[in-house]
Amino acid sequence: MTRVLRSLRVAPAEREAAAMIATQLSRPGDPVRTMARVGALLTPYFDKETPRALREIEMEDWADALADFPDWAIERAAKWWKSADNPQRRKRPLEGDIAERCRIEMRAVRATRVRARSGWAGTDAPEDRERCSPEAAARAMRATGFSPAEDFTGPKRFGATETGQSATDEQRGAA
């Protein structure tokens, strides 16, 4: 899908396929599977003294936070949290941590949906334009006040005088 997004010339069939895939990849996950995945993620962090009723309320909070995300994004986010790529992996994750990572995992899907809604602007072949000759470019540069490259003497400093020195440097030299 990311290859289709990068292409400026996408065939209508590819556009439709990408939009259909994005829709399928965006389908919210199964709540039971989500809770099982969250339970597996949090197992190393569980406190055995916590009452079951509090644990159930906590799982409801997780279910609410992750309700809009597909199973694959939750799975990838959970695996990322435990991986060496996450410097926070030794800490217990909060719902927002995993939801934020799910958003990152879904960037390509979100971009595809945006492109599909906007009509895939920019996918038509650009117009062939005649290249500008060096002479025409030089005329255009002179007309806008730029001097040719051979006249370039280096960057001018703010407040510099004709000699290229700043006014304070010239005053020091005169004193």
Side-chain angles (χ1 to χ4, degrees):
M1 183 174 331
T2 54
R3 187 177 20 170
V4 171
L5 287 174
R6 281 188 231 126
S7 174
L8 289 178
R9 297 183 181 135
V10 179
E14 289 175 319
R15 292 179 206 170
E16 291 173 18
M20 187 172 57
I21 291 169
T23 300
Q24 291 173 352
L25 289 176
S26 300
R27 194 170 300 138
D30 175 33
V32 174
R33 180 176 167 83
T34 298
M35 290 302 92
R37 187 64 190 105
V38 169
L41 174 66
L42 296 178
T43 297
Y45 308 103
F46 276 144
D47 177 17
K48 295 175 185 166
E49 305 293 322
T50 304
R52 180 177 173 88
L54 288 178
R55 192 69 65 213
E56 288 174 5
I57 292 170
E58 179 184 30
M59 294 307 274
E60 287 174 8
D61 292 343
W62 276 87
D64 290 342
L66 301 177
D68 295 334
F69 297 108
D71 289 333
W72 68 266
I74 296 168
E75 183 73 26
R76 289 184 66 165
K79 286 183 178 182
W80 172 83
W81 185 267
K82 293 177 162 185
S83 76
D85 295 334
N86 177 16
Q88 304 279 328
R89 68 183 173 275
R90 287 181 173 67
K91 295 180 182 177
R92 184 179 192 270
L94 299 175
E95 304 92 88
D97 297 327
I98 301 303
E100 179 182 347
R101 186 61 195 195
C102 285
R103 282 186 208 86
I104 290 170
E105 296 295 339
M106 293 195 59
R107 282 181 180 165
V109 174
R110 196 167 45 251
T112 301
R113 285 188 303 203
V114 168
R115 297 256 337 241
R117 279 195 308 264
S118 67
W120 295 81
T123 58
D124 296 333
E127 294 178 20
D128 288 334
R129 289 191 265 166
E130 187 177 321
R131 292 189 53 90
C132 183
S133 70
E135 296 81 23
R139 277 194 309 273
M141 295 292 283
R142 279 194 298 275
T144 57
F146 290 100
S147 61
E150 57 267 5
D151 292 345
F152 184 71
T153 58
K156 297 198 186 221
R157 294 182 1 185
F158 181 77
T161 61
E162 297 281 327
T163 63
Q165 292 182 331
S166 70
T168 53
D169 288 344
E170 285 186 356
Q171 289 170 357
R172 282 188 209 134

